[in-house]
Amino acid sequence: MSFPSVRPRRTRQSDAWRRMVRETRLAPDQLIYPLFVVPGAGVRRPVTSMPGICQLSVDEAVNEARATLQAGVPAVLLFAAPAHKDEKASAALDPNGLAAEAIAAIKAACPQLLVWADVCLCGATDHGHCGHVLPGGVIDNDSSAQTLAEVALNYARAGADAVAPSDMMDGRVQSIRRALDRDGLTMTPIVSYAAKFASAFYGPFREAAESAPALGDRRSYQMDPANGREALREVQLDIEEGADLVMVKPAGPYLDVIRQVRDTVEVPVVAYQVSGEFSLIKAAAERGWIDERAAVMEALTGIRRAGADLIITYYAREVARWLGSR
Ligand code: PBG
């Protein structure tokens, strides 16, 4: 059969039909909202390159966490930018450090909200790299994986519902799983940034998280944007090491990777719509060049259609609101 008896437009002719035959759905339960925590009290410092996003002191982060839960978004992803930065990332290892304090405060105020703690060294090191740097600028993979395990343990002990290593060191999921299990934290899941690409789209985030590397770039640990097969290998290795969820990051420029990962693994697949993807839409919307709501819904639906089960997005709360009002 073909035209004129076949007419795909028949099921497209009204909103009711379009809703019924829609293949991909977005729901607040699939979203995770990032929060940036800084020292102090009563601090809400706007991130210039990310309109609507602020660096927050712990008390303000608690308010945002409440609002996130109220919006129907089930989880936040927490980043901390402690004041003290040194070679050893001491602030991230400190049980009374900024991240640990924020995790505990949010869990005390909103026990039902899931707190995913980003685990990395870049926000707490003076050089801004995600691992330890040897003289000459080489990253020391194995000692970094060890420290990352201690950071993850610190955050899990503080009450994090999941730890999310974003550093891309080899073997870090294994060292984190071992450290958690040794400590009796056998039920803390690991959300692994498994296929994280060395991306220009992280630019705005580095202002928010104060994590730009002082020297060099991240291409010796984050992946080459050209490599899809290698992404599958990274994802498989992380699952073998004990990752409970795997992430592809960024999302929009890597939809093919999301699809391949979804078709290859059984665990939930998370996609991160990163700061640059957010800021591009914001900037165009502010100039009246694009319909913000329609563009956001289309971008996120595309990420879901590509195969992402969950999406980390700076638009999480607005999207939850839009979905509620339809
Ligand atoms: C740091 C980290 C980055 C992001 C999440 N964790 C930046 C980077 O690797 O340079 C990016 C998030 C975003 O751009 O929204 N380990």
Side-chain angles (χ1 to χ4, degrees):
M1 282 228 288
S2 62
F3 182 82
S5 49
V6 174
R7 292 180 184 268
R9 287 186 53 217
R10 286 186 191 119
T11 53
R12 224 182 275 157
Q13 59 186 310
S14 68
D15 191 52
W17 271 117
R18 291 189 290 269
R19 287 199 333 253
M20 286 184 85
V21 301
R22 189 155 294 147
E23 298 174 28
T24 308
R25 283 173 206 283
L26 259 181
D29 283 342
Q30 299 154 348
L31 305 177
I32 300 106
Y33 183 64
L35 290 178
F36 298 106
V37 182
V38 292
V43 179
R44 300 184 62 89
R45 195 179 307 129
V47 179
T48 341
S49 54
M50 301 177 73
I53 303 294
C54 289
Q55 292 184 321
L56 306 160
S57 51
V58 171
D59 54 331
E60 292 291 337
V62 167
N63 292 333
E64 292 299 311
R66 275 202 202 93
T68 303
L69 190 61
Q70 230 143 46
V73 172
V76 292
L77 175 61
L78 199 79
F79 296 95
H84 177 75
K85 302 183 202 282
D86 62 25
E87 206 171 288
K88 295 203 280 255
S90 313
L93 296 162
D94 181 353
N96 300 310
L98 184 62
E101 185 197 343
I103 292 164
I106 293 172
K107 285 310 289 183
C110 314
Q112 312 97 300
L113 181 73
L114 297 179
V115 176
W116 292 9
D118 184 90
V119 170
C120 200
L121 305 190
C122 60
T125 47
D126 44 11
H127 48 65
H129 276 290
C130 304
H132 295 306
V133 181
L134 293 170
V138 170
I139 305 288
D140 185 359
N141 185 89
D142 297 13
S143 79
S144 302
Q146 212 38 59
T147 305
L148 287 155
E150 288 166 33
V151 173
L153 188 56
N154 185 27
Y155 296 172
R157 282 177 177 158
D161 294 287
V163 289
S166 64
D167 52 281
M168 286 300 280
M169 296 302 133
D170 293 335
R172 93 281 205 205
V173 173
Q174 182 184 72
S175 35
I176 291 171
R177 187 71 270 157
R178 282 189 184 153
L180 294 176
D181 289 354
R182 228 184 287 124
D183 205 64
L185 292 161
T186 56
M187 287 298 284
T188 304
I190 300 175
V191 183
S192 160
Y193 288 67
K196 176 174 176 179
F197 292 88
S199 173
F201 291 92
Y202 304 151
F205 171 94
R206 292 181 186 168
E207 178 192 343
E210 302 173 5
S211 71
L215 279 176
D217 55 45
R218 304 206 201 287
R219 286 182 295 177
S220 83
Y221 40 104
Q222 298 179 351
M223 289 186 51
D224 187 325
N227 292 3
R229 286 193 305 266
E230 190 185 349
L232 288 181
R233 183 161 179 248
E234 282 283 5
V235 165
Q236 269 154 347
L237 286 170
D238 280 10
I239 292 173
E240 281 164 29
E241 291 180 25
D244 298 280
L245 298 86
V246 291
M247 194 192 302
V248 176
K249 174 186 176 189
Y254 299 90
L255 296 178
D256 59 320
V257 176
I258 294 172
R259 169 47 56 197
Q260 288 183 68
V261 170
R262 178 62 292 161
D263 288 343
T264 311
V265 307
E266 266 87 54
V267 300
V269 175
V270 188
Y272 197 148
Q273 184 190 46
V274 301
S275 56
E277 299 177 77
F278 168 85
S279 299
L280 286 182
I281 299 176
K282 271 284 173 206
E286 280 184 353
R287 292 173 189 204
W289 290 352
I290 202 166
D291 175 339
E292 183 176 29
R293 176 171 167 170
V296 170
M297 294 307 258
E298 184 176 337
L300 295 178
T301 299
I303 294 165
R304 288 266 305 138
R305 193 194 61 243
D309 300 291
L310 304 174
I311 307 176
I312 302 167
T313 171
Y314 301 96
Y315 276 114
R317 276 162 50 181
E318 275 151 297
V319 169
R321 195 158 32 79
W322 294 334
L323 289 170
S325 64
R326 196 165 36 213

